[in-house]
Amino acid sequence: MGEVVRSGVPLPASLGVTDPAALTVVDAAGTPVAAEFRVLARWHAGRTDGSAPIQWLLVGFPVTVAAGGSAAFELVTDGSAGPNPPPAVPLTLSQSGSQFTVETGAATFLFGADPGALFDEVRRADGTVLVQGSTLTAQLNGTATSHTSTRRAWVEHQGPLSAVVVVEGAYDLPPQGG
């Protein structure tokens, strides 16, 4: 229910869309739905050059479809559909020191405080703890090792429907090959 669909969408340069705020995702009845847009590439310019038309766009929006069912949505590019509404429960991301907290409404994910853990804690909205202090491990040619340290973590993207936090770390695996 309300699963976020994400897809890359190519836009022709002839549309001249430079700002994703001019875009709207609408359902089959033409009603705007909560949506998130992320510019991936622009025509003949860098991704951050807001004066160049958007070439590729990552579009995300929540959808509820019955098993075996289908739903139709449209990307309106001329501004005629108005703005997308905010999601009923927006995703939030916060940082305190080295620990990140991501709250989705359905669950809360805490990570980054323990350099050897994938997650410090994962709990449902009702408070039920699903994971606590999970160790991240790797196995190569029958040799297992745990994640030994986190070098750094940073927020790559934060929006109302999704977030990307990159956690860079190291494993203590013995040298392989020649």
Side-chain angles (χ1 to χ4, degrees):
M1 184 158 154
E3 299 297 325
V4 177
V5 173
R6 292 173 50 146
S7 182
V9 177
L11 298 177
S14 60
L15 282 178
V17 176
T18 58
D19 185 356
L23 303 171
T24 308
V25 175
V26 297
D27 62 16
T31 304
V33 300
E36 180 177 287
F37 304 101
R38 195 166 162 205
V39 175
L40 300 177
R42 292 184 181 270
W43 287 100
H44 312 293
R47 183 178 54 83
T48 59
D49 182 350
S51 66
I54 298 169
Q55 182 178 17
W56 278 97
L57 187 69
L58 183 61
V59 179
F61 55 96
V63 179
T64 300
V65 181
S70 65
F73 294 86
E74 181 180 347
L75 178 63
V76 179
T77 60
D78 64 6
S80 64
N84 291 99
V89 179
L91 178 140
T92 62
L93 184 147
S94 59
Q95 182 179 0
S96 177
S98 63
Q99 186 172 56
F100 291 87
T101 303
V102 176
E103 295 185 53
T104 68
T108 300
F109 302 84
L110 290 93
F111 54 96
D114 180 350
L118 177 58
F119 291 108
D120 299 327
E121 184 176 276
V122 178
R123 66 178 176 269
R124 289 189 205 158
D126 67 6
T128 303
V129 175
L130 302 174
V131 172
Q132 194 161 23
S134 63
T135 302
L136 184 60
T137 60
Q139 185 163 339
L140 181 63
N141 297 330
T143 303
T145 187
S146 61
H147 182 263
T148 57
S149 66
T150 299
R151 290 189 187 132
R152 64 185 181 126
W154 67 94
V155 177
E156 186 174 274
H157 166 75
Q158 180 179 357
L161 298 172
S162 67
V164 176
V165 179
V166 179
V167 179
E168 182 181 84
Y171 288 93
D172 279 339
L173 285 169
Q176 300 292 314

